[in-house]
Amino acid sequence: MITNTELEYKGNLYPSNITAYKKEVDKVSFYTENNVTLTITILRDSVLRFRYATEEGFEPDFSYAIDKNATYGFNHLEVKEEETAYILKTAKLVVTINKKDLRVSIADTKGRVINEDELGFHWEESYLYGGNIVKMSKDAQESESYYAMGDKPSQLNLRGKRIENWNTDQYAFGKDHNPLYKAVPFYVGLHHKTAYGIFFDNTFRTHFDFCHERRNVTSFWADGGEMNYYFIYGPKVSEVVQGYTDLTGKPELPPLWTLGFHQCKWSYYPESRVKEVTKKFRDLKIPCDGIYLDIDYMDQFRCFTWNKEYFPDPKRMVDELLEDGFKTIAIIDPGIKIDKDYWVYQQAVENDYFCKRADGPYMKGKVWPGECNFPDFTNPEVRDWWAGLYKELIAEIGVRGIWNDMNEPAVMEVPGKTFPDDVRHNYDGHPCSHRKAHNIYGMQMARATYEGMRKYTFPKRPFVITRAAYSGAQRFTSSWTGDNVATWEHLWIANIQVQRMCMSGMSFTGSDIGGFAEQPSGELFLRWIQLGIFHPFCRVHSSGDHGDQEPWSFDIEVTDITRKFIELRYKLLPYLYTMFWEYMTDGVPMLKSLMYYDQEDQHTHYRNDEFIFGNHILVCPILEPNAKGRRMYLPRGKWYNFWTNDLLSGGKETWVEADIDQVPVFVKEGAIVPNYPVQQYVGEKELKELTLHVYYAEGTEISKVYEDAGDGYDYKKGRYSLRKFRLTGRENQLIIQQFKEGKYETPYKKLKLVLHGLPFNVKSIYLDNAQIPLKDVKMNGDKTMIIPKNFTEIHIIGEQQ
Ligand code: MIG
């Protein structure tokens, strides 16, 4: 066995002095005497790519993360030689490259340093594997904070933490545990009110140290591959996150029903049990859209088969569930049972689709079906084949969502719980070992699944869920945070993880509500529901080796309060869908942590619990037992308490009441929040009107409502409806202007305005410049009025109360 110290046989190596440079259209390369090349590519004025090669030169340029639709184009590029350095300028950034040692400093155009190398790029040669261990170290700036990085279960601000990315099946992980299921080597740095991001696009095991080992240094390194990172300038956190999401890709819209409530368990079987659960939802009038089949629906856990004893006629069952509004989602794992009589196994063997060990045999490992082989999803031909396997499940049986699990990939009863390093992968024509392909395996499985779903569910939209992921997986799939535990600490973790995923380009994420392992108390379950309904993906799941975890599994009070909160989610569906649309079009995260929301306010930099749901709703979960309320930080601005309509001024901590049937929720003044009526499932009711909750403010605020058919691709042909509202409040006046876009005709004709916080009594109303009698808008006191949906301007004039 070779030890680590023996591996560092030459120690760290560093670039020497620059001897030449070359400028191409969008690139500048610098060459050092000891054969190091640094190529800086200008993608945009605010997005630069830094790539380093040592004497062997660059690898072929290939990335699974970067989206082919990413935005390119810059205005300005200038390179100047000075005595000690080269200066590279774009319209937004000034980069200084030190002639002596290739160290880099990045400043804004006013000369303020944003990010600076400490030792900068250095490397160690790897005798064991060949190539280099590539390293980068940066000075931490004064009071610098660090965010994002995927699913890591640590405080939002990562300063002081060390992080590792190596996708791992981490059953019952705990706070600060890593590595976990996902690898998102992207962080946001924030100091002096300025934010930037670094995306280290390297699929090997990566490490990030945020002032943990040395107080003033942040470093990142990888066990192989290239030092290849993107620098994304803000100065706003939102610009960094949107820039990163643009680079690694945005999702398409999911079917609207996927934003409803999902019920899952390991496992619901046989058919009668599935029906019992779905019927209970309808009987108790608790809205639900998704029902899950975990591994026991399969025959001996063989993917793409059915246990006919439990599910004699899957198509009939799936159809019947659908008639009742339930969409069926089925699990598919990567492990293919070694079984000569099993068609999937046979096809894979015939076509040579399984991953192989370095010396030739198939990669063999134990998972649920017993000994398995594993498709190489990094091979495009294998992905095509895998996509095709879904034909029966989706096109014939009518399953509406696919849930990909165990794709870290997980292997049971072996050291490291995954493939050995020597396993070979195609890596889309760049053959490599598992060291390089490990972190990408799950994403490529989800991608193949997505392609299959897209094809066989057409003209409906696909829905995929994955456990493992790498940067860019959001283009294909939603995700959940893996095997958590029914403890209060895990409720805290769920809140952190979903916020962090939102900041990492992967908004469509949720946790197993109630906890996967162990049994929650009714109280914990409820508090988790009260958080979960504000997560983009909202699913109860549990391991099933303990008690039940349906909304009615506790006591009647828990059932009733759970119903109330799930109903709230269904009312907020148009708001959620609009959040998703903004995520899809502009890469705006669906949840915004407080530092994202107001980076100028230092108080937000170490906040964990509060977040903004969409643009206008502030949520702060209750994370402790026996709480009657909690202290929380209200960000600057004025906020209406959602439950009481009290208006509070932010910029301070405050005590908020929240007994077991409430959770602290506030609405930003000036917001217009759309609501649908409660439905038991999406599309149950023909919509008669759209309700708009209008929260008066002095000043101006913009709100949007995006709608379309809720499924299908017509929205891409302009058949959507976008309502943009501008609210302007003055003393004794409230004006709402509407700007409409899109060719979709919403089924309702009327808007119902619910007015909150009006500081005056309504005296007269002008609708599109004509005064109308108050009775025509069906005034209900000063609280609600009904108006035609396509108004342009409503002007409400009041008199002092
Ligand atoms: O080894 O399919 O995280 O959600 O219910 C456990 C059974 C395999 C792990 C997943 C979990 C799922 C379970 N799976």
Side-chain angles (χ1 to χ4, degrees):
M1 188 77 189
I2 303 174
T3 65
N4 270 342
T5 14
E6 277 166 323
L7 282 178
E8 291 169 18
Y9 68 115
K10 286 185 189 164
N12 279 327
L13 300 167
Y14 297 84
S16 61
N17 58 304
I18 299 178
T19 53
Y21 88 98
K22 185 167 97 197
K23 183 181 166 194
E24 289 159 273
V25 185
D26 59 346
K27 278 189 194 52
V28 188
S29 296
F30 300 91
Y31 307 92
T32 71
E33 197 175 342
N34 64 344
N35 289 320
V36 175
T37 307
L38 161 61
T39 298
I40 304 176
T41 309
I42 292 72
L43 286 80
R44 294 156 63 180
D45 290 314
S46 55
V47 182
L48 307 179
R49 179 182 181 192
F50 292 82
R51 232 182 137 191
Y52 296 82
T54 57
E55 67 222 345
E56 277 185 47
F58 288 108
E59 303 170 354
D61 194 11
F62 174 77
S63 166
Y64 282 113
I66 304 297
D67 183 22
K68 61 175 191 318
N69 301 314
T71 317
Y72 295 93
F74 56 93
N75 299 307
H76 182 77
L77 171 60
E78 179 190 320
V79 188
K80 238 177 37 203
E81 184 172 352
E82 290 187 353
E83 201 184 317
T84 59
Y86 291 94
I87 314 288
L88 186 155
K89 281 189 184 166
T90 74
K92 292 195 175 154
L93 296 169
V94 179
V95 185
T96 306
I97 303 104
N98 205 314
K99 281 188 181 169
K100 196 172 83 208
D101 51 17
L102 204 62
R103 281 188 306 139
V104 167
S105 170
I106 307 169
D108 64 16
T109 50
K110 297 204 176 83
R112 285 180 298 224
V113 171
I114 305 163
N115 183 265
E116 200 163 38
D117 285 356
E118 186 235 5
L119 299 172
F121 171 61
H122 51 295
W123 73 99
E124 250 175 73
E125 289 183 359
S126 170
Y127 175 68
L128 191 54
Y129 298 106
N132 300 321
I133 298 157
V134 290
K135 307 180 183 186
M136 173 59 66
S137 68
K138 304 271 190 186
D139 284 331
Q141 302 297 317
E142 190 200 335
S143 304
E144 183 160 7
S145 296
Y146 302 94
Y147 306 92
M149 298 295 295
D151 62 349
K152 306 304 177 229
S154 298
Q155 62 194 42
L156 275 184
N157 185 343
L158 291 168
R159 191 179 177 108
K161 303 287 177 192
R162 182 181 270 206
I163 300 294
E164 194 180 318
N165 290 311
W166 183 255
N167 293 351
T168 303
D169 177 4
Q170 208 60 272
Y171 175 80
F173 58 93
K175 196 176 170 189
D176 287 325
H177 204 126
N178 81 95
L180 287 193
Y181 302 90
K182 299 175 182 74
V184 184
F186 162 67
Y187 73 87
V188 177
L190 173 62
H191 62 88
H192 301 98
K193 303 184 173 170
T194 294
Y196 67 91
I198 286 188
F199 171 41
F200 181 23
D201 187 10
N202 182 312
T203 59
F204 283 82
R205 190 191 295 261
T206 50
H207 314 258
F208 288 74
D209 187 303
F210 300 105
C211 311
H212 171 83
E213 192 177 297
R214 288 184 290 155
R215 263 190 336 137
N216 296 318
V217 176
T218 282
S219 56
F220 49 93
W221 65 101
D223 291 5
E226 269 182 15
M227 177 47 62
N228 167 32
Y229 74 88
Y230 295 80
F231 177 87
I232 305 160
Y233 175 55
K236 289 202 189 131
V237 176
S238 57
E239 293 166 316
V240 176
V241 174
Q242 286 176 257
Y244 168 77
T245 311
D246 181 79
L247 198 59
T248 56
K250 298 161 196 157
E252 295 184 332
L253 280 175
L256 179 56
W257 66 263
T258 63
L259 299 177
F261 179 73
H262 302 239
Q263 179 71 39
C264 187
K265 179 187 178 137
W266 178 17
S267 294
Y268 289 130
Y269 69 89
E271 174 178 342
S272 57
R273 175 69 184 136
V274 177
K275 292 273 186 58
E276 195 184 354
V277 172
T278 55
K279 181 168 183 305
K280 193 96 184 194
F281 271 100
R282 297 301 179 239
D283 288 350
L284 293 173
K285 295 218 166 323
I286 299 172
C288 185
D289 267 277
I291 187 79
Y292 284 69
L293 300 177
D294 204 326
I295 48 178
D296 300 283
Y297 80 89
M298 299 179 211
D299 178 18
Q300 300 166 64
F301 304 124
R302 293 175 310 171
C303 294
F304 308 103
T305 68
W306 288 81
N307 179 320
K308 287 290 168 79
E309 194 187 313
Y310 297 154
F311 298 98
D313 188 354
K315 178 168 168 50
R316 179 190 41 71
M317 177 186 77
V318 167
D319 284 347
E320 284 167 5
L321 288 171
L322 191 62
E323 264 166 48
D324 205 13
F326 285 94
K327 275 63 70 177
T328 305
I329 297 109
I331 198 167
I332 287 287
D333 287 354
I336 297 299
K337 187 178 173 66
I338 300 178
D339 173 353
K340 297 209 162 57
D341 300 323
Y342 167 36
W343 57 284
V344 178
Y345 175 80
Q346 288 164 352
Q347 288 182 8
V349 170
E350 270 160 35
N351 296 293
D352 205 13
Y353 286 159
F354 288 131
C355 295
K356 286 184 185 148
R357 303 295 301 262
D359 297 327
Y362 286 143
M363 161 61 211
K364 189 168 93 177
K366 211 180 137 203
V367 257
W368 288 105
E371 292 294 348
C372 283
N373 296 138
F374 300 84
D376 182 9
F377 296 108
T378 72
N379 179 343
E381 207 183 311
V382 175
R383 288 199 299 271
D384 272 355
W385 166 71
W386 188 258
L389 295 176
Y390 286 104
K391 185 163 184 229
E392 183 188 273
L393 209 48
I394 296 167
E396 287 158 35
I397 296 174
V399 163
R400 290 291 189 86
I402 300 292
W403 170 25
N404 283 165
D405 185 21
M406 305 290 276
N407 51 355
E408 290 71 29
V411 179
M412 292 167 174
E413 299 163 19
V414 295
K417 301 189 265 193
T418 191
F419 295 3
D421 282 350
D422 70 273
V423 171
R424 304 291 298 162
H425 295 269
N426 176 286
Y427 211 92
D428 279 68
H430 310 85
C432 67
S433 78
H434 195 62
R435 297 170 69 239
K436 182 171 175 175
H438 176 84
N439 281 340
I440 206 77
Y441 188 84
M443 172 183 174
Q444 295 314 301
M445 180 193 186
R447 175 185 177 183
T449 299
Y450 165 82
E451 294 300 347
M453 262 227 90
R454 202 161 63 143
K455 185 159 152 201
Y456 297 118
T457 209
F458 187 86
K460 296 202 163 17
R461 305 174 191 163
F463 175 54
V464 179
I465 313 154
T466 185
R467 194 169 70 175
Y470 182 75
S471 295
Q474 68 269 12
R475 304 200 295 274
F476 315 114
T477 179
S478 67
S479 74
W480 91 104
T481 55
D483 296 343
N484 58 6
V485 187
T487 63
W488 291 91
E489 181 181 88
H490 266 272
L491 179 54
W492 181 91
I493 291 176
N495 182 24
I496 291 282
Q497 287 187 300
V498 178
Q499 288 185 58
R500 194 189 289 296
M501 288 291 283
C502 283
M503 224 183 304
S504 305
M506 295 186 188
S507 282
F508 201 7
T509 303
S511 68
D512 284 354
I513 295 175
F516 178 73
E518 298 176 21
Q519 179 70 5
S521 65
E523 186 191 8
L524 175 59
F525 178 80
L526 250 186
R527 291 307 195 187
W528 212 314
I529 284 278
Q530 291 169 349
L531 172 65
I533 63 143
F534 294 108
H535 282 167
F537 178 53
C538 178
R539 181 184 76 161
V540 168
H541 183 38
S542 71
S543 69
D545 54 8
H546 46 77
D548 289 336
Q549 206 158 300
E550 290 89 37
W552 53 86
S553 309
F554 305 89
D555 58 37
I556 182 93
E557 193 193 15
V558 173
T559 310
D560 287 343
I561 302 173
T562 300
R563 178 191 301 106
K564 170 176 135 182
F565 278 90
I566 296 178
E567 285 181 351
L568 175 57
R569 180 165 180 108
Y570 276 74
K571 287 186 208 162
L572 286 169
L573 276 174
Y575 182 83
L576 257 157
Y577 201 46
T578 305
M579 283 159 63
F580 208 111
W581 169 78
E582 285 200 309
Y583 168 43
M584 173 195 79
T585 41
D586 296 324
V588 178
M590 292 174 72
L591 306 187
K592 293 145 189 96
S593 304
L594 284 204
M595 49 67 65
Y596 179 107
Y597 181 72
D598 189 358
Q599 72 191 66
E600 309 243 316
D601 176 5
Q602 292 265 355
H603 290 106
T604 65
H605 295 188
Y606 276 92
R607 299 302 307 183
N608 290 307
D609 297 353
E610 308 86 352
F611 61 88
I612 312 287
F613 171 71
N615 295 325
H616 290 134
I617 298 180
L618 168 68
V619 179
C620 184
I622 298 287
L623 302 172
E624 283 174 11
N626 306 313
K628 299 275 181 235
R630 63 164 293 165
R631 284 195 76 77
M632 64 175 281
Y633 186 72
L634 276 186
R636 298 187 296 181
K638 283 190 182 164
W639 301 88
Y640 284 91
N641 183 313
F642 177 77
W643 309 101
T644 65
N645 276 329
D646 289 345
L647 187 60
L648 297 183
S649 289
K652 56 175 183 262
E653 279 208 28
T654 181
W655 168 266
V656 182
E657 304 274 325
D659 213 334
I660 190 69
D661 61 345
Q662 278 188 9
V663 62
V665 178
F666 292 84
V667 183
K668 194 179 176 197
E669 65 161 1
I672 295 183
V673 179
N675 272 196
Y676 283 159
V678 171
Q679 305 174 77
Q680 296 309 303
Y681 55 90
V682 168
E684 184 205 19
K685 290 184 182 156
E686 167 93 348
L687 301 174
K688 298 264 161 44
E689 64 197 14
L690 177 71
T691 301
L692 298 176
H693 287 275
V694 179
Y695 291 86
Y696 174 87
E698 229 175 86
T700 300
E701 185 74 27
I702 303 283
S703 304
K704 292 174 189 168
V705 183
Y706 173 88
E707 294 167 285
D708 60 22
D711 210 332
Y713 294 95
D714 276 3
Y715 77 94
K716 293 196 171 180
K717 299 179 208 137
R719 252 166 260 134
Y720 61 87
S721 153
L722 179 63
R723 302 174 188 281
K724 198 164 121 193
F725 298 107
R726 185 197 284 140
L727 175 150
T728 309
R730 303 197 191 107
E731 213 193 332
N732 291 336
Q733 283 186 52
L734 175 63
I735 301 164
I736 303 170
Q737 293 160 297
Q738 175 173 230
F739 307 88
K740 269 224 63 187
E741 205 184 281
K743 292 186 290 199
Y744 176 69
E745 193 60 51
T746 52
Y748 55 83
K749 302 267 180 302
K750 304 277 181 197
L751 299 175
K752 178 179 177 183
L753 306 189
V754 183
L755 305 173
H756 299 261
L758 268 200
F760 51 75
N761 294 321
V762 177
K763 198 175 71 187
S764 50
I765 294 176
Y766 291 82
L767 193 65
D768 294 334
N769 290 324
Q771 185 167 5
I772 50 164
L774 295 186
K775 69 170 178 19
D776 284 8
V777 291
K778 302 208 175 84
M779 286 290 291
N780 161 18
D782 281 348
K783 293 281 180 329
T784 64
M785 57 178 69
I786 294 187
I787 59 172
K789 69 176 175 182
N790 289 335
F791 79 93
T792 312
E793 180 172 311
I794 180 162
H795 197 147
I796 302 171
I797 296 174
E799 57 194 4
Q800 281 313 314
Q801 280 166 335

